[in-house]
Amino acid sequence: MAISSRFSVAAHILTLIHQSEGTRITSEYIASSVNTNPVVIRRILGMLSKAGLVRTSAGVAGATLARPLGEITMLDVYRAVQPEQEELFSMHEHPNPACPVGRNIQASLDGVFTGAQRALEAELASVTMEQVSLDVASRA
Amino acid sequence: MAISSRFSVAAHILTLIHQSEGTRITSEYIASSVNTNPVVIRRILGMLSKAGLVRTSAGVAGATLARPLGEITMLDVYRAVQPEQEELFSMHEHPNPACPVGRNIQASLDGVFTGAQRALEAELASVTMEQVSLDVASRA
DNA sequence: TTCGGCTGTAACTATACTGAGTACACTTGA
DNA sequence: TCAAGTGTACTCAGTATAGTTACAGCCGAA
């Protein structure tokens, strides 16, 4: 599965919440900054909420951070918006078990794929949303 | 964009060619091991050929390795079957330039995304197709 | 207690990509 | 010459995504 733009939108949302602390920002306001539909924002906000990164309450404008941005890594965000069982690499499904290669290729590739995915995730885990937010602020 | 199963099929194909050296293996034979349509194989074989990893000739059965498997990394294979400009991470397209966050978020995220992708690619570059082929053989 | 504003979610649409499959022209070697 | 195989264009079904409409439910201020 691709890494959808939900990921970048989620990072955008968290940055906005962070830099607007104290203000009540609605999904509509966020949507205008991201330039999309408020429902898209609410959907992603829902994922972030389920993952325990933000807190929202129905009927009340303004999401708040559930913990400081410094304690939220890009990997947390990535996992929050990425469908649970979605693997980054996809494998062809039913290789021929009658063939020595077909029978064993999956297991071999699985090791390589897992290693590569781990490397990517480790990199994401090394960056906090606070760094991102500060970086954005420093460019403004 | 997702990492399509073309990648795993391509690795499968190279392993088969390697372990069948000397024999003429047709796209139909490969297809039966991968368990798909011969055209799918020919398509991927075409990409591997364009990338200079294998050599084929129209009308003649049997692809051959253009260079030893030990000199072909998983990253080479990955790049061969991955559409050129396809980025792993996708970014939401037109954030609002009137917003300080919207104006700068892309540049900030781009750095993070690039780093993560580099980490993944470095991991893929560290594994050669020879290792994969040997690993498959050792399981047989 | 009413009411406007907002969230949460379901449902639908348009779009895009993928793997699979058909068809066929072209190449090659026996 | 001709059977076998490759290369490629075209089509199709399945699936994921972003965008959008619609609406029920919650909340707080007047």
Side-chain angles (χ1 to χ4, degrees):
Chain A
M1 197 47 246
I3 297 172
S4 82
S5 69
R6 278 196 301 270
F7 185 30
S8 65
V9 173
H12 189 149
I13 292 175
L14 288 173
T15 305
L16 265 182
I17 295 177
H18 183 233
Q19 302 195 4
S20 313
E21 229 150 29
T23 335
R24 302 186 350 162
I25 55 172
T26 66
S27 62
E28 186 150 9
Y29 172 81
I30 300 177
S32 85
S33 172
V34 173
N35 192 28
T36 183
N37 193 289
V39 175
V40 173
I41 300 299
R42 293 207 285 270
R43 214 147 34 202
I44 295 175
L45 224 27
M47 298 184 197
L48 294 176
S49 168
K50 244 178 213 142
L53 304 183
V54 303
R55 265 190 288 267
T56 62
S57 49
V60 185
T64 56
L65 298 173
R67 53 181 202 257
L69 272 200
E71 291 170 24
I72 298 179
T73 70
M74 285 294 277
L75 180 59
D76 295 324
V77 181
Y78 172 75
R79 291 220 168 110
V81 298
Q82 197 72 356
E84 190 60 38
Q85 83 299 9
E86 283 295 348
E87 295 290 333
L88 191 53
F89 293 91
S90 40
M91 190 97 72
H92 55 298
E93 295 261 296
H94 305 289
N96 188 344
C99 166
V101 174
R103 188 164 56 243
N104 300 294
I105 188 80
Q106 289 184 315
S108 296
L109 289 181
D110 196 52
V112 180
F113 288 177
T114 302
Q117 181 157 352
R118 283 236 182 84
L120 177 131
E121 294 183 353
E123 188 67 23
L124 291 180
S126 77
V127 180
T128 69
M129 272 305 305
E130 185 175 35
Q131 289 172 257
V132 173
S133 181
L134 290 178
D135 187 68
V136 169
S138 79
R139 292 171 192 268
Chain B
M1 202 48 247
I3 297 171
S4 84
S5 70
R6 278 196 301 271
F7 184 30
S8 64
V9 172
H12 189 148
I13 293 175
L14 288 173
T15 305
L16 266 181
I17 295 177
H18 183 232
Q19 301 196 3
S20 312
E21 229 151 30
T23 335
R24 300 184 352 161
I25 55 171
T26 65
S27 63
E28 185 151 6
Y29 171 82
I30 300 176
S32 85
S33 173
V34 172
N35 192 28
T36 184
N37 194 287
V39 175
V40 173
I41 301 300
R42 294 208 283 271
R43 218 154 19 211
I44 295 174
L45 223 28
M47 297 184 196
L48 294 177
S49 169
K50 243 177 214 142
L53 304 183
V54 304
R55 265 190 289 265
T56 62
S57 49
V60 184
T64 57
L65 298 173
R67 54 180 201 255
L69 271 200
E71 293 171 22
I72 298 179
T73 71
M74 285 294 278
L75 180 58
D76 295 324
V77 181
Y78 173 75
R79 292 219 168 113
V81 299
Q82 196 72 356
E84 190 60 36
Q85 82 299 7
E86 283 294 349
E87 295 291 333
L88 191 54
F89 294 91
S90 40
M91 191 98 71
H92 56 296
E93 296 261 298
H94 304 289
N96 189 343
C99 166
V101 173
R103 187 165 56 244
N104 299 294
I105 188 78
Q106 289 184 315
S108 295
L109 289 180
D110 196 52
V112 179
F113 289 177
T114 301
Q117 180 156 350
R118 283 237 179 85
L120 177 130
E121 293 183 352
E123 188 66 24
L124 290 181
S126 76
V127 181
T128 68
M129 271 306 304
E130 185 175 35
Q131 290 172 255
V132 173
S133 181
L134 290 177
D135 187 69
V136 169
S138 78
R139 291 171 193 267

